[in-house]
Amino acid sequence: MIVFGNSLVIGAFRVNRRLRTATNLLLMSLAIADMLVGLITVPLWVYILMYYNVVRSVLKFYKMFDVIFVVSSILHLTAVTLERCYALVWPIKHRNIRRHVVIAISCVAWILAILAGTMKELMDELYGVILAAVFFFIPLIIILVAYGKISQVAIAHARGRGNSSFRKVLFIPHCIWIMRSMLTANFIQKREQNKQVDLLLQK
C-alpha cells in the first residue's frame, strides 16, 4: 500500500503538467521518501523478524536507511506545512517562489536525513537524544505552530463569510491532532524497532 499510494502521487506528477509546480516538488520528494520506506526498510524489517540470526551488516544497513527515510519524510512534511502556511499568510509572495529555491529546500532535507542516518558512529551515546530532539520534537513543534497560524487565518476568513464556512474550517484542529498522533506513533514504533536492532547488534 505504501509503494502503491506513493507511486500514484509520483505518476500523477509526471503525467499531469499542471501538477508540475515548484511547490509540488516538495510533495513528490516526500512521496519518494515514503515509497523508499515501503521498498527497502519495511521488507528488511520483515526479514529481520523472520530470521533471528541476521547478518550484522544487514542490521546496520536497515537501521541507517530507516533513519534516513523517516527523517527525510518528517523534514519534507515540515517543509510542506510551512509552505502551506506561507501560501495562506503571504499569498502574493508565495506566487513568486522560484523552482530552484524549492529544489534547494528538498536537497537540504535529504542531506540532513543522510547526516542523521550516518552520524551514529560519531556520537553513539547521545545519538538517540539528538535524533529525537532535532528531527522529531522540533519539527513537531514547527508543524503545530504553523497549523495553529493556518487555523487562525482560516477561521478569521470563515467568520467573515458566515457560520457555514466557519464550520467547514473546524476540521483543521482535527487534522493537527491526527498529524501529531501519526508522527508520535511512528516515532515510538521506530524507537522500539531500533531498540530491537541494537539488541541484535550487541549479540
Side-chain angles (χ1 to χ4, degrees):
M1 288 298 295
I2 297 175
V3 176
F4 178 73
N6 288 287
S7 297
L8 291 178
V9 175
I10 297 171
F13 184 87
R14 290 181 60 87
V15 172
N16 194 335
R17 291 185 178 181
R18 293 182 180 179
L19 296 178
R20 297 178 193 174
T21 61
T23 54
N24 279 345
L25 286 172
L26 289 174
L27 292 175
M28 190 186 71
S29 189
L30 172 62
I32 291 173
D34 289 340
M35 187 173 69
L36 288 173
V37 171
L39 284 174
I40 298 177
T41 59
V42 171
L44 276 177
W45 178 244
V46 173
Y47 175 79
I48 291 170
L49 290 178
M50 291 178 62
Y51 301 96
Y52 185 75
N53 295 322
V54 182
V55 181
R56 192 179 183 86
S57 59
V58 174
L59 295 174
K60 288 185 175 181
F61 180 87
Y62 161 78
K63 190 168 183 178
M64 181 179 68
F65 280 94
D66 182 55
V67 171
I68 290 174
F69 298 147
V70 170
V71 169
S72 178
S73 295
I74 292 174
L75 293 179
H76 277 91
L77 182 60
T78 306
V80 170
T81 304
L82 290 175
E83 181 269 326
R84 288 293 86 201
C85 182
Y86 187 70
L88 187 61
V89 179
W90 296 287
I92 298 177
K93 292 182 179 180
H94 177 265
R95 294 171 188 169
N96 297 325
I97 293 180
R98 302 295 182 89
R99 192 180 186 89
H100 67 270
V101 174
V102 178
I103 294 174
I105 293 172
S106 182
C107 289
V108 169
W110 278 106
I111 291 171
L112 290 175
I114 292 171
L115 289 175
T118 56
M119 69 180 184
K120 180 175 173 59
E121 302 299 329
L122 300 176
M123 48 182 70
D124 194 24
E125 295 181 358
L126 298 175
Y127 179 72
V129 177
I130 294 174
L131 192 69
V134 177
F135 298 112
F136 177 74
F137 289 109
I138 292 178
L140 180 60
I141 292 171
I142 293 173
I143 289 173
L144 292 177
V145 171
Y147 270 103
K149 183 63 177 178
I150 291 173
S151 299
Q152 182 183 4
V153 175
I155 290 172
H157 283 294
R159 279 177 176 168
R161 296 177 181 177
N163 292 330
S164 60
S165 296
F166 178 72
R167 286 194 293 268
K168 288 180 181 178
V169 299
L170 289 179
F171 76 95
I172 295 178
H174 294 87
C175 291
I176 298 172
W177 181 83
I178 292 171
M179 185 175 296
R180 182 182 64 181
S181 301
M182 290 176 63
L183 282 174
T184 304
N186 184 58
F187 177 74
I188 294 172
Q189 180 186 10
K190 293 301 178 183
R191 281 193 64 184
E192 294 301 319
Q193 290 178 356
N194 286 331
K195 284 181 182 179
Q196 295 182 38
V197 173
D198 287 337
L199 290 174
L200 292 174
L201 285 171
Q202 291 173 5
K203 294 181 179 181

